Amino acid sequence: MSKPNDYTELLAEIKARIQTAQTRAVLAANSELIRLYWQIGEQLTARQAREGWGAGVIPRLARDLHNELPELKGFSERNLKLMAQFFRAYPALFADHAPIGQPAVAQLPWAHNVLLMQTVKDERVRNWYVGQAVAEGWSRNVLKLQIASQAHRRQGNAVTNFAARLPAPQSDLVQQALKDPYIFDFLTLQAGFQERELETSLVRHLEKFLIELGRGFAFVGRQYHVTVGESDFYIDLLFYHLKLRCYLVI
């Protein structure tokens, strides 16, 4: 008879496998949906270019799809137009030789892609947000906030002495982990606040603070006690960066 610890380990392993499979299934389903929308957009764009359809074709198509397949959602007039726009934004997405970085688009939910198409017109900048959203698992609301705060302009722009003090590639990695400036507009402090008030408010809004800091930061503690020799010190805010494997001291 197996020991209880053996069973606990077995349960944990099977649970992890199930969760991994579920995640893969969700990602695969999303990728197929994005592929379907892209293919419909391709077909609509090609037929319009070839046959010169008028403005009334897509509304008619939306009505007929609803009548023929009433149980299906997501094929409204607005969404069909967005599919055509999506194809025009990424004409080679599902081609044999898709541009570098574009396959990540298929990993994002449709709502994320719609937001990016409508708010970020520069393809290079849009691809940056696609990569960050996939890598950091941003929700649509977080993605919207990052776009509004122009995160792409701030990432890696902090003025530092990392290049002089740290060896490569560590210096480059640390540089890319920091922004300039950081935007804490979720705080409600009035001008003239004290340092301790800022610290308290940041901890109170810790989730939003971590999102603004970026991926990989883990909160260790506030007023963290450190003893050096016979002296006591207290670090205001202490973080650990999982990718860099180092502490961030504020």
Side-chain angles (χ1 to χ4, degrees):
M1 184 174 179
S2 61
K3 299 178 181 178
N5 286 344
D6 293 337
Y7 175 78
T8 301
E9 183 179 347
L10 174 65
L11 176 62
E13 289 178 357
I14 292 180
K15 180 181 177 182
R17 286 181 179 274
I18 292 173
Q19 291 173 332
T20 299
Q22 288 174 329
T23 300
R24 288 175 178 170
V26 169
L27 292 174
N30 178 76
S31 180
E32 285 305 310
L33 181 65
I34 298 301
R35 179 188 293 271
L36 172 63
Y37 285 176
W38 183 88
Q39 290 172 336
I40 292 174
E42 178 187 32
Q43 192 170 3
L44 289 174
T45 301
R47 294 291 288 273
Q48 284 181 322
R50 185 169 65 247
E51 301 179 16
W53 286 349
V57 173
I58 287 183
R60 178 184 175 184
L61 181 60
R63 288 195 303 270
D64 289 342
L65 284 172
H66 177 72
N67 292 334
E68 296 287 337
L69 303 168
E71 73 281 2
L72 292 183
K73 306 296 181 183
F75 296 93
S76 64
E77 175 185 347
R78 175 180 179 274
N79 224 27
L80 289 173
K81 290 179 179 178
L82 286 171
M83 292 175 203
Q85 181 183 348
F86 183 63
F87 169 75
R88 291 192 294 270
Y90 306 102
L93 178 59
F94 289 103
D96 292 336
H97 301 289
I100 295 175
Q102 283 201 2
V105 173
Q107 299 178 43
L108 288 179
W110 179 241
H112 285 58
N113 281 308
V114 170
L115 174 64
L116 285 165
M117 286 192 302
Q118 294 180 331
T119 57
V120 185
K121 302 305 180 182
D122 186 300
E123 182 179 357
R124 180 185 59 83
V125 175
R126 189 168 64 241
N127 286 338
W128 183 88
Y129 281 106
V130 168
Q132 292 296 307
V134 170
E136 302 198 17
W138 287 343
S139 68
R140 184 183 182 280
N141 287 338
V142 171
L143 174 60
K144 187 176 181 179
L145 288 172
Q146 296 288 3
I147 293 171
S149 67
Q150 296 190 316
H152 68 284
R153 294 182 180 274
R154 299 182 288 121
Q155 193 75 38
N157 288 332
V159 178
T160 70
N161 64 347
F162 295 151
R165 297 295 183 180
L166 295 173
Q170 184 79 358
S171 57
D172 294 332
L173 291 172
V174 176
Q175 184 70 42
Q176 288 304 312
L178 301 181
K179 304 175 186 177
D180 183 26
Y182 283 96
I183 296 177
F184 301 133
D185 55 3
F186 51 84
L187 301 179
T188 57
L189 297 175
Q190 300 297 320
F193 58 83
Q194 300 297 315
E195 180 181 322
R196 184 57 59 87
E197 292 179 274
L198 173 61
E199 176 189 321
T200 301
S201 190
L202 286 174
V203 173
R204 188 181 301 122
H205 296 85
L206 187 57
E207 181 181 6
K208 293 179 180 178
F209 185 23
L210 287 173
I211 289 173
E212 175 62 14
L213 282 179
R215 186 187 185 198
F217 286 94
F219 182 60
V220 178
R222 171 190 180 193
Q223 292 300 311
Y224 192 87
H225 180 222
V226 177
T227 300
V228 180
E230 297 181 356
S231 301
D232 291 326
F233 299 91
Y234 292 87
I235 298 171
D236 291 337
L237 297 171
L238 181 62
F239 295 85
Y240 186 78
H241 198 283
L242 302 178
K243 183 177 181 180
L244 298 176
R245 297 184 180 180
C246 64
Y247 288 96
L248 172 71
V249 178
I250 299 180

